[in-house]
């Protein structure tokens, strides 16, 4: 009965979304206040209905209701409770329902918290948000019903993909979806502003907190996914340039550009076209990721569905939403006023370079991701575009971006003195140069690009700290009071820039100076790596709640002194008929000692295990840097100026010339 109620609630939510997509925007065009106000009520009703449907599906997983096909295909009665809950979104239908829930939640949040937003803009924004919701709920109701029954029900389920039975993957998808779907409300604000014919600093201030919330969640989601891949897959890598990794990374890159562009629109009433276009393209890339994951184009642990018919439906949604919004932009963009003027050397110019570099980096990743798919579709030839292409094309752009970031906060609005700024940064530059020499010496001479990357990251770190110390006059009396009085958004910017510098150091160290040994091991086998001596002491079998594990033991010493014991595992899940590798890691700030085991693949190696041992310098700087980025985003989001928004009167006077009727 509960699944039927969930399906009924989903159908009612579709009706509510259709009403919301038509009535408020019609009321805005005709000046009907009652119809415009209906947007708030319908948004809240729609959210409650979708939340009920999602709760009904989750309840089916928790009680192991094997009369529901979705539960049969993705759960098992012996699975731990946390993975029964996460199984709700660990599949195509459930993840799509989570996507719609977050869509509805953002609409309801704008309706609830955005009471200072002008009524016409609110009505149009929530109507556009409802257009997106109608598309996805109809997709689910007609092609991907999560409540389909199965008769007769089996005695037990087929279990969830073992790779997804991990706490990192229980949290990673919801965070990622909040980021993906969060950009939908920014897209809705942009389309509503184009329809209304009004883009000004007040609009940018209303958009900023939603952009920031989506960007922060997406940062956390990507970082958590990278951490999961590092410790779970047994390869010791944290980024593989997998196409599905790329489609989460591209909205992050453009979302970063959008965040900075909105600041310029708010502060200087310029970059209006940039901000609107970036809002459209960022969410468009989120939709592109949805298409790639659910269309059957890829076979991956990230992919939810391999049904081409579903892919065609999403492709239609993609064409309507992206094509329609870009056509509207092309119509309205020429009428946008240029806003404030600025010199070639100014903060505006620095942020423009930031936007150009981020857009170029995104285009590079997009080309490398889609080119193999297009080539296979046209010619049938299969090629692989992997790390060599992305490292050669993306890394130089990203290093140039980091180099410019150090200078940007020192520049003044409208006009700046570049020579004076560089003179102030001499100390930071000297520190970075000395640090690079030390790194060169410690790493015995290279590689050159890695040392350069470390120097640029340190340059950003020192320059950011110098700018913050200068801003709060750190070494003068009353510094603590000035720190407390600074806007939280400014502290958030500092934290995020420091986080990026630390992240670049971690990525460089883990990539350039990693040591890797793969060997066949039996009891007594010894391995030496990075000054550590490891002795393989054998394997024992352990039974888990829904798996059987072979657990290896390695004794680790250094210079004859005991360091630790490591216990890598290989788990077999009988219900799912598959296995996973569970690595064990000795983590320190200097680097990780990483071990994993697998059954030998070579003939003549019976009784032995494939043992992989890695030492990854500075790899934990990746997670620390990501954490600092997220903290920076949360600090900025807590700034009262972003919570309150701009006063209504600041919206007087249109910033786009509305065509004569």
């Amino acid at each position: 009965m509960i699944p039927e109620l969930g399906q009924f609630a989903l159908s009612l939510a579709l009706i509510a979304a259709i009403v919301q997509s038509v009535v408020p925007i019609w009321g805005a065009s005709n000046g009907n206040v009652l119809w415009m106000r209906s947007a708030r009520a319908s948004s809240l009703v729609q959210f409650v209905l979708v939340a009920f449907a999602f709760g009904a599906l989750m309840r089916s997983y928790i009680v192991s209701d094997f009369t529901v096909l979705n539960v049969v295909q993705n759960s098992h009665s012996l699975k731990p409770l946390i993975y029964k809950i996460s199984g709700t979104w660990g599949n195509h239908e459930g993840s799509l329902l989570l996507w719609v829930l977050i869509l509805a939640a953002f609409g309801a949040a704008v309706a609830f918290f955005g009471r200072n937003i002008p009524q016409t803009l609110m009505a149009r924004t929530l109507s556009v948000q409802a257009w997106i919701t109608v598309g996805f709920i109809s997709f689910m109701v007609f092609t991907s019903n999560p409540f389909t029954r199965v008769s007769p029900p089996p005695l037990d389920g087929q279990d969830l993909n073992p790779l997804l039975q991990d706490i990192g993957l229980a949290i990673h998808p919801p965070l990622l979806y909040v980021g993906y779907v969060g950009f939908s409300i920014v897209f809705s604000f942009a389309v509503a502003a184009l329809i209304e014919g009004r883009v000004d600093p007040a609009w940018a201030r209303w958009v900023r907190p939603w952009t920031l919330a989506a960007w922060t969640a997406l940062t956390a989601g990507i970082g958590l996914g990278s951490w999961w891949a590092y410790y779970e897959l047994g390869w010791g890598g944290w980024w593989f340039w997998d196409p599905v990794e790329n489609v989460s990374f591209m909205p992050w890159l453009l979302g970063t550009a959008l965040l900075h562009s909105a600041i310029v629109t708010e502060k200087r009433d310029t970059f209006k076209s940039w901000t609107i276009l970036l809002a459209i393209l960022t969410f468009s890339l989120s939709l592109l990721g949805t298409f790639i994951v659910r269309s059957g184009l890829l076979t991956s642990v990230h992919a939810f569905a391999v049904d081409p018919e579903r892919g065609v439906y999403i492709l239609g949604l993609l064409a309507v939403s992206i094509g329609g919004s870009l056509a509207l932009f092309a119509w309205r963009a020429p009428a946008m006023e240029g806003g404030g003027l600025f010199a070639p050397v100014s903060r505006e110019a620095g942020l423009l370079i930031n936007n150009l570099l981020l857009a170029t980096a995104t285009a590079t990743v997009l080309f490398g991701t889609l080119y193999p798919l297009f080539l296979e579709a046209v010619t049938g030839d299969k090629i692989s575009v992997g790390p060599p292409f992305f490292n050669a094309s993306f890394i130089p752009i990203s290093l140039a971006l980091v180099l410019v970031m150090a200078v940007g906060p020192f520049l003044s609005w409208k006009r700046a003195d570049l020579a004076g700024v560089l003179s102030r940064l001499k100390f930071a530059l000297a520190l970075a140069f000395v640090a690079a020499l030390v790194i060169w010496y410690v790493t015995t001479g290279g590689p050159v690009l890695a040392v350069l990357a470390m120097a640029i990251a340190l340059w950003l770190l020192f320059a950011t700290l110098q700018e913050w110390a200068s801003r709060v006059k750190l070494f003068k009396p009353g510094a603590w009071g000035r720190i407390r009085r600074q806007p939280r958004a400014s502290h958030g910017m500092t934290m995020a820039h420091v986080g990026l510098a630390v992240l670049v150091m971690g990525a460089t160290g883990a990539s350039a100076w990693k040591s890797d040994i793969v060997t066949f091991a039996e009891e007594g086998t010894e391995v030496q790596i990075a000054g550590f001596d490891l002795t393989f002491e054998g394997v024992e079998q352990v039974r888990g709640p829904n798996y059987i594990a072979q657990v290896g033991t390695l004794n680790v010493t250094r210079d004859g002194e005991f360091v630790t014991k490591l216990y890598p595992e290989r788990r077999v899940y009988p219900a799912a008929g598959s296995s996973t590798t569970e690595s064990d890691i000795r983590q320190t700030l200097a680097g990780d000692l990483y071990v994993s085991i697998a059954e030998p693949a070579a003939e003549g190696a019976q009784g032995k295990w494939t043992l992989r041992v890695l030492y990854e310098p500075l790899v934990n700087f990746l997670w620390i840097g990501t954490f600092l980025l997220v903290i920076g985003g949360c600090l900025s989001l807590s700034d009262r100026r972003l919570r309150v928004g701009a006063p209504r009167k600041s919206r007087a006077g249109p910033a786009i010339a509305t065509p004569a009727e």
Side-chain angles (χ1 to χ4, degrees):
M1 183 63 180
I2 296 296
E4 280 72 28
L5 289 175
Q7 187 171 3
F8 182 63
L10 200 58
S11 300
L12 290 178
L14 177 58
I15 295 171
I18 292 171
V19 171
Q20 182 184 330
S21 68
V22 176
V23 174
I25 200 168
W26 186 262
S29 64
N30 290 280
N32 189 312
V33 176
L34 186 61
W35 287 13
M36 285 190 282
R37 287 179 178 172
S38 72
R40 284 195 171 97
S42 55
S43 294
L44 295 173
V45 168
Q46 184 193 139
F47 171 69
V48 170
L49 290 170
V50 175
F52 181 87
F54 187 80
L57 183 62
M58 183 178 289
R59 183 256 181 198
S60 297
Y61 271 88
I62 291 173
V63 303
S64 296
D65 183 357
F66 295 123
T67 66
V68 178
L69 180 61
N70 190 263
V71 179
V72 172
Q73 294 174 338
N74 299 284
S75 191
H76 192 276
S77 59
L78 296 179
K79 193 167 62 172
L81 178 61
I82 181 64
Y83 302 131
K84 287 183 178 180
I85 294 173
S86 65
T88 309
W89 55 79
N91 57 87
H92 168 67
E93 292 82 3
S95 66
L96 198 59
L97 185 54
L98 176 62
W99 178 286
V100 172
L101 176 64
I102 297 171
L103 262 178
F106 269 96
V110 170
F112 187 79
F113 294 110
R115 297 187 180 276
N116 61 331
I117 299 175
Q119 208 160 64
T120 55
L121 180 63
M122 168 75 79
R124 290 185 171 106
T125 299
L126 293 180
S127 280
V128 174
Q129 186 76 357
W131 297 348
I132 303 168
T133 310
V134 167
F136 277 94
I137 295 182
S138 61
F139 174 52
M140 189 161 35
V141 169
F142 297 124
T143 74
S144 309
N145 185 0
F147 299 106
T148 301
R149 293 283 196 175
V150 59
S151 181
L155 294 177
D156 217 325
Q158 300 170 13
D159 211 351
L160 181 67
N161 184 338
L163 287 174
L164 305 182
Q165 295 186 42
D166 179 89
I167 189 62
L169 259 288
I171 306 170
H172 160 69
L175 281 174
L176 207 61
Y177 283 11
V178 171
Y180 275 158
V181 183
F183 286 120
S184 68
I185 200 66
V186 185
F187 170 87
S188 298
F189 267 110
V191 173
L194 288 173
I195 294 172
E196 187 170 282
R198 191 191 300 265
V199 178
D200 58 15
W203 175 88
R205 180 169 291 193
W206 287 313
V207 164
R208 270 185 67 193
W210 304 106
T211 306
L212 192 56
W215 180 88
T216 303
L218 188 57
T219 303
I222 292 173
L224 193 59
S226 178
W227 176 60
W228 166 81
Y230 172 67
Y231 72 79
E232 175 67 22
L233 298 183
W235 303 337
W238 51 274
W239 193 262
F240 304 97
W241 293 110
D242 179 281
V244 183
E245 289 177 332
N246 293 347
V247 297
S248 67
F249 188 42
M250 289 185 289
W252 185 88
L253 290 170
L254 277 194
T256 305
L258 169 62
L259 196 56
H260 290 84
S261 189
I263 293 172
V264 183
T265 302
E266 178 190 344
K267 302 286 187 184
R268 296 284 300 131
D269 194 22
T270 190
F271 283 22
K272 298 171 187 176
S273 296
W274 260 110
T275 306
I276 292 290
L277 182 61
L278 287 170
I280 292 171
L281 292 180
T282 301
F283 183 59
S284 297
L285 287 175
S286 297
L287 291 178
L288 178 65
T290 305
F291 170 68
I292 288 178
V293 170
R294 300 173 192 275
S295 63
L297 286 175
L298 298 174
T299 301
S300 163
V301 66
H302 302 90
F304 285 118
V306 293
D307 185 352
E309 291 184 5
R310 291 172 174 174
V312 171
Y313 195 105
I314 299 178
L315 191 61
L317 291 177
L318 214 64
V320 171
S321 56
I322 298 176
S325 58
L326 290 178
L328 181 61
F329 175 79
W331 176 40
R332 289 291 203 181
M336 290 187 185
E337 295 178 4
L341 300 176
F342 56 90
V345 178
S346 61
R347 183 169 291 192
E348 292 95 326
L351 289 169
L352 178 60
I353 293 172
N354 168 82
N355 282 359
L356 291 171
L357 288 172
L358 284 167
T360 303
T362 305
T364 300
V365 177
L366 182 65
F367 175 79
T369 303
L370 295 185
Y371 177 71
L373 301 179
F374 279 127
L375 186 66
E376 183 179 356
V378 173
T379 67
D381 297 331
K382 291 187 177 182
I383 65 167
S384 175
V385 176
F389 167 80
F390 291 107
N391 291 341
S393 58
F394 179 82
I395 289 178
I397 300 171
S398 61
L399 290 181
L401 177 66
V402 174
L403 193 64
V404 172
M405 281 177 61
V407 180
F410 287 89
L411 297 173
S412 304
W413 294 107
K414 295 182 67 175
R415 182 182 298 276
D417 177 15
L418 183 60
V421 169
L422 293 178
S423 176
R424 293 172 63 192
L425 285 169
K426 286 188 295 187
F427 180 67
L429 183 61
L431 279 176
F433 180 73
V434 171
L437 289 179
V438 171
I439 293 166
W440 186 286
Y441 175 78
V442 170
T443 58
T444 64
V448 175
L449 186 60
V451 175
L452 176 64
M454 291 293 285
I456 291 175
L458 289 166
W459 152 262
L460 174 60
L461 176 64
F462 296 141
T464 300
L465 293 176
Q466 181 182 337
E467 189 275 335
W468 177 80
S470 174
R471 179 163 21 100
V472 301
K473 299 178 181 177
L474 185 62
F475 303 108
K476 294 184 178 181
W480 178 244
R482 288 189 293 275
I483 291 172
R484 293 182 62 184
R485 288 191 296 272
Q486 281 280 313
R488 292 181 186 176
S490 66
H491 291 313
M493 176 198 72
T494 300
M495 187 75 74
H497 285 197
V498 168
L500 184 63
V502 173
L503 192 152
V504 171
M505 286 190 281
T508 302
S511 302
W513 296 295
K514 177 169 68 174
S515 302
D516 188 354
I517 296 174
V518 180
T519 185
F520 291 129
E522 56 187 350
E523 187 173 343
T525 298
E526 296 184 355
V527 176
Q528 290 79 39
I529 188 171
F532 293 96
D533 297 299
L534 294 86
T535 303
F536 190 70
E537 296 183 347
V539 173
E540 63 175 341
Q541 184 167 294
V542 175
R543 182 173 290 275
N546 61 333
Y547 63 83
I548 300 170
Q550 283 89 28
V551 182
T553 301
L554 290 102
N555 187 65
V556 182
T557 61
R558 189 167 196 171
D559 298 327
E561 299 290 328
F562 174 77
V563 175
T564 189
K565 284 185 179 286
L566 296 175
Y567 303 96
E569 300 180 26
R570 179 182 177 274
R571 294 180 180 176
V572 177
Y573 292 77
S578 58
S579 62
T580 64
T581 298
E582 303 289 327
S583 61
D584 197 11
I585 308 170
R586 176 186 181 264
Q587 294 183 303
T588 65
L589 199 59
D592 282 3
L593 183 62
Y594 179 112
V595 296
S596 63
I597 60 170
E599 286 186 332
E603 295 182 5
Q606 287 81 6
K608 297 184 178 181
W609 293 83
T610 300
L611 174 66
R612 185 163 198 169
V613 184
L614 301 96
Y615 184 73
E616 305 212 39
L618 305 182
V619 70
N620 288 300
F621 279 41
L622 284 164
W623 329 128
I624 295 171
T626 302
F627 179 74
L628 292 175
L629 281 168
V630 173
I631 293 297
C634 292
L635 264 178
S636 297
L637 198 57
S638 69
D639 194 314
R640 185 177 180 276
R641 296 174 306 163
L642 296 184
R643 295 202 308 273
V644 171
R648 287 176 181 271
K649 63 181 181 180
S650 66
R651 288 189 54 82
I656 299 179
T658 306
E661 296 180 1

